[in-house]
Amino acid sequence: MTSTYWESTQRKFWTFTKQQLALERKKIEEAERNLVNLYPLPDKRHLSIYFYHQLSKMARPLGIRQQALATAQVYVRRFYTKVEIRRTNPALVLATALYLACKMEECPQHIRMVLAEARHCWDTSFNDISKIGECEFTLISEMNSQLIIHHPYRSLAELQTHFQLTQEENALAWSIINDHYLTDLPLLLSPHEIAITAIFLAVVLKPTQGGLQVNAAGVANALQALGNARATNGQGTQNRVQKLVDWMAESNIDIECVVECTQELISLYEIWENYTDKACKEPIAKFVKARGLDK
């Protein structure tokens, strides 16, 4: 166990390059080529949105806090870098990930309550508590008992005063951090890089009228603002965006990581516009039923 990200198992074993992550997934697909061809699934980002919706439905009645929900999302993403999704019952995996995350985040839930919410949300037939116990063992095993997750929320809390974020900007940055769990970013970048990106986007997007909604066009404009600020190289009027960019340069923050993070979010928001639950629910139900994984 460690209290610092730099010495954590997250950094040592669960942070990849895009190429490494693609290779891991390719290995899984090649090993299960017949299943992959027999049961096509939608875009991984659509699946991530669907899983988030299902986790949220389970978490809300139980009063589970956001960080535990985020930890569950990371567990699910890690697990599916090791195990082909078509070999599992996602309803059971999500319920188990949420149950395990609550224990790790010190807000434990009774296993019967988690099971009841899972059955309600997924309309699933599995009702044996031992199933969650077995799946919990599998999750822990596939993650090599490396269960401590360092989240960007702490970095955001530490930096909000330094950057004099308004209450609205802080809320928007928090919302952007929530959204990044629907992408591969938790497996690609460090928590502080994600927090800094969220702060930058919150300052550029300037939440005022229209609430805290974020979309692809707005984030794309923020990316252009970042490029413009870098091009000025510190010259001209010192607005908040320029000050942020200057601070990143002085702090040795890799601005390319901020750009990469922003591009991933743009991609997410673009594909989210065409998302429907049905497009994910039906293909998942098909292979779960066909392979008897709901028993």
Side-chain angles (χ1 to χ4, degrees):
M1 294 178 65
T2 177
S3 60
T4 171
Y5 165 77
W6 302 106
E7 299 297 326
S8 68
T9 57
Q10 180 174 338
R11 180 172 181 264
K12 292 177 180 177
F13 304 109
W14 292 101
T15 302
F16 307 86
T17 65
K18 279 190 173 182
Q19 293 74 20
Q20 290 170 335
L21 192 56
L23 183 60
E24 290 293 321
R25 287 172 173 162
K26 185 177 180 181
K27 287 179 183 176
I28 295 174
E29 289 192 355
E30 290 301 323
E32 304 289 351
R33 179 51 57 189
N34 289 339
L35 279 178
V36 171
N37 292 339
L38 190 59
Y39 302 108
L41 291 174
D43 187 283
K44 283 185 173 62
R45 289 162 297 186
H46 276 178
L47 286 177
S48 293
I49 296 169
Y50 180 65
F51 289 164
Y52 170 67
H53 286 173
Q54 299 307 106
L55 282 168
S56 296
K57 287 179 184 177
M58 285 189 282
R60 197 173 298 115
L62 298 174
I64 294 172
R65 54 194 177 92
Q66 178 61 41
Q67 184 159 312
L69 179 60
T71 294
Q73 288 176 271
V74 176
Y75 286 171
V76 172
R77 191 166 294 276
R78 286 183 177 185
F79 181 71
Y80 284 133
T81 65
K82 300 291 184 180
V83 178
E84 166 54 44
I85 186 174
R86 297 164 183 86
R87 293 185 62 85
T88 72
N89 180 349
L92 178 58
V93 172
L94 265 66
T96 306
L98 188 63
Y99 173 67
L100 179 58
C102 287
K103 288 202 287 188
M104 290 304 299
E105 295 294 343
E106 299 182 350
C107 54
Q109 296 289 327
H110 197 287
I111 192 169
R112 291 185 183 278
M113 298 296 292
V114 175
L115 178 62
E117 289 304 326
R119 292 185 65 196
H120 175 72
C121 292
W122 289 82
D123 191 26
T124 182
S125 61
F126 78 85
N127 56 11
D128 188 351
I129 286 177
S130 66
K131 292 286 187 183
I132 290 183
E134 293 170 9
C135 189
E136 181 182 15
F137 177 82
T138 302
L139 275 174
I140 293 172
S141 177
E142 292 295 339
M143 290 189 288
N144 299 315
S145 300
Q146 296 157 350
L147 304 177
I148 297 176
I149 306 297
H150 294 262
H151 292 285
Y153 301 115
R154 175 182 289 184
S155 297
L156 174 61
E158 292 172 350
L159 291 170
Q160 63 176 319
T161 302
H162 178 81
F163 291 118
Q164 298 179 329
L165 298 184
T166 65
Q167 184 176 349
E168 291 78 11
E169 288 169 343
N170 189 63
L172 182 56
W174 182 280
S175 176
I176 291 167
I177 288 174
N178 291 347
D179 290 345
H180 101 279
Y181 290 105
L182 279 66
T183 72
D184 286 331
L185 289 170
L187 301 181
L188 298 174
L189 300 179
S190 67
H192 75 276
E193 289 169 330
I194 293 163
I196 289 166
T197 303
I199 290 170
F200 170 78
L201 293 175
V203 170
V204 174
L205 296 175
K206 296 177 182 175
T208 50
Q209 300 174 359
L212 302 177
Q213 294 298 315
V214 186
N215 55 45
V219 178
N221 290 338
L223 186 61
Q224 183 177 0
L226 175 60
N228 292 341
R230 291 169 69 190
T232 63
N233 197 28
Q235 298 175 358
T237 304
Q238 287 288 315
N239 57 34
R240 293 183 72 199
V241 175
Q242 186 64 60
K243 287 180 180 178
L244 262 170
V245 174
D246 290 346
W247 180 89
M248 285 188 276
E250 293 170 0
S251 304
N252 294 319
I253 299 295
D254 188 348
I255 294 183
E256 294 308 315
C257 287
V258 177
V259 172
E260 178 183 346
C261 187
T262 304
Q263 289 172 333
E264 284 290 325
L265 289 167
I266 292 171
S267 179
L268 169 67
Y269 295 135
E270 284 177 341
I271 202 166
W272 207 331
E273 293 173 2
N274 300 316
Y275 168 80
T276 61
D277 272 1
K278 184 179 179 181
C280 295
K281 183 177 181 179
E282 291 181 353
I284 290 174
K286 183 178 179 180
F287 76 74
V288 168
K289 185 174 182 179
R291 306 193 68 240
L293 298 170
D294 54 343
K295 299 296 189 275

